[in-house]
Amino acid sequence: MSCPYLQSNLDNMKNNNSNVDEIPILTTTTNSITNDHAHVTEPLNYTTYLGLNSLLSSLRCLSHVDRSNESSLPVHDEHFFIIIHQAFELWFKEIIYEIDSIRDIFGSNDDVATFVFDISLRLNRIGKVWKILIDQLQLLESMTPMEFLEFRDFITPASGFQSLQFRIIEMKLGLTDKSRDAYKSNFFTETMFKGKQSNELQTSIGEVSLLRHIERWLEKIYDETSFNFCEVYEEAVESMIDHDKQEKIQNGIDEQIAEIEADKAKLQFDEMINSIKYQVLVNNNQRRMSHKAMLAALMIAHYYQQPCFQQVYQIISLLMDNDTLMTSWRHRHILLVLRQIGRKPGTGGTDGFTYLQATLNF
Ligand code: HEM
């Protein structure tokens, strides 16, 4: 199969009886991260359409160009290391683009029901990108720790920790300072990132996150539900817990233990149904959504087979998939870090493994 870009240019050439390089177009590149707008008149072809000249010329191996220490040789694997990180940043850009488009749908429509299909497609796409990114980390396993050590000094103090796009993804999804420990968002906006980058991050912190959009949507669904879910649910769960207790006793479990377990289950259940007790969990950062939104999610999870809840359930499932995938990426990255540098501190200034392990709670 021939290249589609080549084909369209050949058609143009045939129609205009001219050379590919002589077809002028106005190319507009908009960088959603920096908001730079560059208007360049260039002939349209594969290279100009994809901006390959600037993309491919942005690779600079420090161990190859910095020859101040002539006793060391240029390190072969640094090229590979940079390509991998650059590919990551391109995919991060796509994730941000998709998250923004979903947030826009929620932000500009009172009734998102007609857009559920688009939202599902995009969430599904983000999930597929995370799967690629998890796999992509494996590529770096082909670099030996000794080889990495050979150019690690050259790249210090640069670190993935300073990836602006990664922070923007976290913020746009809904990560707040409450969930962070040592590194709160003001560390990034005031200490790590400066000027334009800091403003960029500040803007994403000020925007309504995807989590908050989902929360509002769920609250609306709950308000529109005509039956008293709490009442129905409370009755069903209470009898389920009692039934479970009886079954345990019949199966030979000590009555006292069965009683303790049933009380524990009732307490946990009460914390969900009782709005005051639930609020304590929110204040302790053990729950992220409002009581009403959580009840709506619970209701949807129970009645997901009802036609009115099927699509909403699908969206909630995709959100949970994405959450799992992002955490899996963090896991995979930690394993890579242990393999490459063990428990040494990171080039970005954290204590490395211990810090990264704490981020799994995000
Ligand atoms: C040899 C491979 C790698 C090593 C040894 C490594 C090491 C580390 C360490 C130690 C940290 C903690 C921060 C610090 O530097 O003090 C970190 C954070 C991070 N790294 Fe890597 N990394 C590697 C590859 C990658 C790749 C391929 C990416 C892809 C973009 C990446 C993205 C990140 C991100 C986003 C963080 C911040 C995590 C957070 O704060 O939640 N790293 N890395």
Side-chain angles (χ1 to χ4, degrees):
M1 200 178 81
S2 67
C3 169
Y5 299 99
L6 181 65
Q7 190 54 51
S8 86
N9 280 329
L10 288 177
D11 291 346
N12 277 337
M13 276 171 67
K14 264 191 243 152
N15 294 340
N16 299 338
N17 197 18
S18 61
N19 185 292
V20 175
D21 289 344
E22 287 166 10
I23 306 164
I25 55 121
L26 184 70
T27 325
T28 305
T29 31
T30 308
N31 185 334
S32 66
I33 296 304
T34 60
N35 274 331
D36 284 341
H37 294 267
H39 296 273
V40 192
T41 307
E42 281 178 331
L44 177 63
N45 54 40
Y46 182 82
T47 306
T48 56
Y49 180 57
L50 299 179
L52 290 184
N53 285 339
S54 56
L55 187 70
L56 300 179
S57 60
S58 62
L59 192 149
R60 199 167 60 102
C61 297
L62 288 184
S63 72
H64 296 220
V65 294
D66 180 359
R67 306 301 309 135
S68 49
N69 179 2
E70 289 299 333
S71 61
S72 67
L73 291 171
V75 187
H76 177 83
D77 280 15
E78 192 188 352
H79 190 277
F80 182 59
F81 183 82
I82 295 175
I83 291 271
I84 287 171
H85 281 81
Q86 287 179 333
F88 263 102
E89 289 296 331
L90 283 177
W91 284 122
F92 286 165
K93 190 176 170 85
E94 180 59 25
I95 291 177
I96 293 172
Y97 182 73
E98 300 296 349
I99 295 174
D100 276 346
S101 77
I102 299 169
R103 287 173 49 250
D104 281 350
I105 293 176
F106 278 106
S108 44
N109 297 285
D110 277 345
D111 182 13
V112 291
T114 42
F115 299 97
V116 164
F117 183 70
D118 286 327
I119 298 172
S120 305
L121 274 184
R122 290 171 199 181
L123 283 174
N124 197 25
R125 177 177 294 161
I126 297 174
K128 283 182 191 289
V129 173
W130 276 117
K131 282 185 190 156
I132 296 264
L133 296 184
I134 293 167
D135 274 354
Q136 205 166 285
L137 282 174
Q138 276 180 47
L139 290 172
L140 272 171
E141 289 169 6
S142 73
M143 174 180 77
T144 66
M146 292 312 285
E147 250 162 312
F148 181 43
L149 212 58
E150 278 183 49
F151 66 89
R152 196 168 181 239
D153 277 352
F154 283 100
I155 67 168
T156 306
S159 162
F161 188 53
Q162 297 147 359
S163 166
L164 176 65
Q165 295 202 103
F166 189 78
R167 297 299 158 213
I168 288 178
I169 291 175
E170 287 182 332
M171 304 294 183
K172 284 186 190 256
L173 287 176
L175 186 68
T176 57
D177 280 355
K178 264 188 166 181
S179 317
R180 290 189 194 277
D181 190 10
Y183 298 95
K184 304 207 180 290
S185 60
N186 67 347
F187 168 79
F188 297 109
T189 53
E190 286 165 24
T191 311
M192 179 178 284
F193 300 112
K194 306 278 179 211
K196 216 169 160 185
Q197 284 198 315
S198 167
N199 295 342
E200 196 74 49
L201 189 60
Q202 196 74 63
T203 306
S204 70
I205 295 169
E207 289 168 350
V208 180
S209 68
L210 185 59
L211 180 75
R212 291 294 153 235
H213 277 301
I214 300 288
E215 179 182 52
R216 285 178 195 173
W217 187 42
L218 289 172
E219 286 173 350
K220 197 161 167 261
I221 291 174
Y222 193 79
D223 285 339
E224 285 165 0
T225 308
S226 51
F227 78 105
N228 189 335
F229 171 69
C230 268
E231 225 170 68
V232 178
Y233 192 61
E234 204 162 359
E235 257 175 50
V237 174
E238 293 266 340
S239 68
M240 201 173 75
I241 294 173
D242 286 335
H243 178 262
D244 192 41
K245 185 178 81 181
Q246 292 310 329
E247 219 171 41
K248 278 181 182 160
I249 295 168
Q250 273 167 20
N251 289 338
I253 291 186
D254 184 89
E255 199 174 330
Q256 239 183 345
I257 293 176
E259 190 77 49
I260 291 170
E261 283 176 0
D263 286 349
K264 208 171 147 192
K266 278 184 187 165
L267 195 76
Q268 277 176 347
F269 166 67
D270 199 34
E271 280 177 335
M272 299 227 285
I273 294 296
N274 183 309
S275 62
I276 298 168
K277 290 184 181 166
Y278 181 84
Q279 192 53 42
V280 175
L281 297 180
V282 173
N283 296 345
N284 292 339
N285 205 30
Q286 287 170 275
R287 295 286 181 278
R288 304 281 312 279
M289 287 217 195
S290 71
H291 189 228
K292 209 191 267 182
M294 185 279 297
L295 287 177
L298 208 56
M299 178 172 72
I300 292 160
H302 271 76
Y303 299 110
Y304 69 96
Q305 280 165 330
Q306 297 295 321
C308 62
F309 287 151
Q310 284 176 9
Q311 286 184 322
V312 197
Y313 181 76
Q314 198 190 356
I315 301 237
I316 294 178
S317 299
L318 285 166
L319 285 165
M320 290 192 293
D321 290 347
N322 276 315
D323 194 39
T324 306
L325 286 164
M326 197 167 171
T327 308
S328 305
W329 183 86
R330 291 187 194 272
H331 258 292
R332 203 73 191 73
H333 173 258
I334 293 178
L335 293 178
L336 173 70
V337 172
L338 276 179
R339 182 179 175 132
Q340 294 293 347
I341 61 167
R343 286 168 190 259
K344 287 200 202 86
T347 46
T350 75
D351 51 12
F353 174 75
T354 318
Y355 162 71
L356 290 169
Q357 223 184 13
T359 68
L360 290 177
N361 295 331
F362 295 175

